[in-house]
Amino acid sequence: MQTRLLNVDPDDPQPELIAAAARALLAGELVAFPTETVYGLGANALDADALGKIFVAKRRPTSDPIIAHIADLEQLDTLARDVPEIARILARQFWPGPLTLILKRAEAVPGIIAEGRDTIAVRMPAHPVARALLAAAAVPVGAPSANTFTRPSATRAAHVEEDLAGRIAMILDGGSATIGLESTVLDLTGPTPRVLRPGGVTLESLRAVVPDLELAPSYVSVSEGSQSPGQLLKHYSPRARLLLFHGDETRVLDAMRQRAKEAMAMGQTVGLLVADEDATALEGTGDMQRLGPAGDLDAIGRRLFANMRELDARGVDLMLVRDPGRDGLGAALWDRLLRAAEGQLIEV
Ligand code: TXA
Ligand code: MG
């Protein structure tokens, strides 16, 4: 299949390009498009055959449910039933934006979107291109992150091409995703609201609205199997082995230098994902990719996946990263790094 790549203005998308993408969606094709979190791989959420193509293109097991993206609140009631008041309060406060709500699924939605379970994940994205596309298509759009299963999410059109060229109809190139990490997934179907995946909306800002919120991501190794591969360790993984270091700063930097030296002595190439402040201390220990200032978690979030892919493209054997902390966006960064490291945390 020939994948069409269309360059769209990220702030003011050209109507004729959006119309072409909407036509492709309505014809049952897959269209990758930018959102403020990461690129999504979209299919008409009301078309079971189109949704099925997503799993094939991504090489993703059908047991992993897909988020339905909506343009307006009216669409929410076509996808979900018995919507609790708290969902509407959260929607008013955080939509459009990087928050996904798990609700009870309405009959009209094909079961393949959530593999038979009677729930549905819904999000209203904020990116102008995503909004224009959803409005033009006038159907909810099912979209996982536009990467091959288990690889780091795509934050640029070039990443989507790398993973999916020849397997999907179209890519809308709207530049870099502004957040760079996926949405926060909040399950509202149980007795207490549970965050299944920390993401672009921080736990602190959610707790201001939902004080009894639980953080309940589950980490399951590939061999243990999982109901939802979104919970797998080895998710967002680079090809290289990644080691996540945690502990006192000075000792962690020493340990990273030591580990890099050992690897290089064994003939391995080493890549480092580093905060600007750590660059001097780690000079000469390998191929360094700067993430941004240590205190600027927004900047780090924007670059994390892109820098992982960059080091992969350079063919490093090993990637070393220091824990960025867990406050604010740090909770999402920690989650992605732990999964990329497949749970291999080095406590110093
Ligand atoms: O930021 C995002 O959420 C991006 C953009 C494209 O919107 N999408 C995204 O989709 O990250 P995906 O498929 O890569 O991750 C969706 C996560 C998975 O962990 C999946 O298991 C979970 O949401 N999820 C989806 N539907 C669910 C449901 N009905 N119940 C529980 N978890 C669900
Ligand atoms: Mg994903």
Side-chain angles (χ1 to χ4, degrees):
M1 180 188 300
Q2 181 83 14
T3 301
R4 284 175 71 195
L5 183 70
L6 304 183
N7 281 299
V8 290
D9 183 329
D11 302 313
D12 188 13
Q14 298 84 333
E16 65 282 8
L17 300 182
I18 294 297
R23 271 197 306 276
L25 281 176
L26 293 172
E29 302 289 349
L30 301 185
V31 175
F33 60 96
T35 84
E36 71 279 20
T37 57
V38 297
Y39 272 72
L41 177 59
N44 178 353
L46 303 178
D47 178 344
D49 292 337
L51 290 169
K53 291 182 185 174
I54 287 179
F55 298 101
V56 179
K58 279 188 60 119
R59 302 174 172 91
R60 165 164 159 157
T62 50
S63 55
D64 203 8
I66 291 174
I67 299 171
H69 295 70
I70 57 173
D72 53 53
L73 284 174
E74 268 158 49
Q75 280 179 323
L76 176 64
D77 292 297
T78 66
L79 295 172
R81 61 184 163 86
D82 308 332
V83 176
E85 188 50 28
I86 189 65
R88 301 196 191 274
I89 294 169
L90 288 164
R92 267 198 298 278
Q93 178 144 353
F94 295 103
W95 282 355
L99 177 66
T100 295
L101 300 176
I102 312 282
L103 299 162
K104 290 190 181 140
R105 178 158 50 88
E107 297 267 316
V109 193
I112 186 178
I113 200 160
E115 220 243 348
R117 49 189 105 189
D118 71 342
T119 57
I120 181 140
V122 187
R123 169 164 114 80
M124 190 191 292
H127 195 291
V129 174
R131 289 179 65 74
L133 179 60
L134 291 167
V139 290
V141 171
S145 51
N147 52 281
T148 307
F149 179 59
T150 79
R151 294 223 65 214
S153 294
T155 57
R156 297 180 192 151
H159 302 156
V160 182
E161 273 193 289
E162 198 174 283
D163 284 15
L164 299 171
R167 307 176 68 84
I168 64 176
M170 192 183 284
I171 302 172
L172 291 179
D173 182 348
S176 289
T178 42
I179 298 176
L181 299 168
E182 303 82 351
S183 62
T184 302
V185 177
L186 177 60
D187 185 352
L188 296 175
T189 62
T192 30
R194 297 191 318 148
V195 170
L196 304 181
R197 178 178 73 182
V201 168
T202 64
L203 300 173
E204 292 86 341
S205 57
L206 281 178
R207 284 206 173 102
V209 186
V210 191
D212 61 339
L213 179 121
E214 275 173 35
L215 175 59
S218 84
Y219 299 101
V220 185
S221 72
V222 176
S223 57
E224 285 167 81
S226 169
Q227 300 296 83
S228 169
Q231 303 176 340
L232 285 181
L233 286 170
K234 184 172 176 61
H235 205 87
Y236 316 106
S237 308
R239 295 197 180 92
R241 190 164 162 229
L242 184 142
L243 299 179
L244 174 58
F245 289 76
H246 169 75
D248 168 74
E249 180 179 329
T250 318
R251 282 163 57 196
V252 160
L253 291 172
D254 279 343
M256 287 171 78
R257 265 198 307 273
Q258 186 61 32
R259 191 67 183 75
K261 235 194 278 171
E262 284 165 21
M264 287 192 281
M266 295 190 310
Q268 293 189 322
T269 53
V270 178
L272 298 109
L273 299 164
V274 299
D276 293 349
E277 288 82 348
D278 291 351
T280 316
L282 293 169
E283 199 60 60
T285 51
D287 191 339
M288 236 189 289
Q289 291 289 314
R290 298 259 197 136
L291 292 167
D296 188 349
L297 298 181
D298 290 345
I300 294 177
R302 254 189 316 271
R303 288 187 207 144
L304 181 70
F305 287 139
N307 285 8
M308 269 186 200
R309 281 180 178 259
E310 179 59 35
L311 285 177
D312 259 347
R314 295 177 189 206
V316 303
D317 300 302
L318 187 67
M319 290 186 203
L320 308 180
V321 198
R322 179 158 86 83
D323 171 19
R326 244 145 294 172
D327 295 336
L329 210 55
L333 287 166
W334 170 258
D335 173 86
R336 304 308 184 271
L337 286 169
L338 196 62
R339 291 179 202 276
E342 295 177 48
Q344 289 203 45
L345 177 62
I346 300 189
E347 298 267 6
V348 185

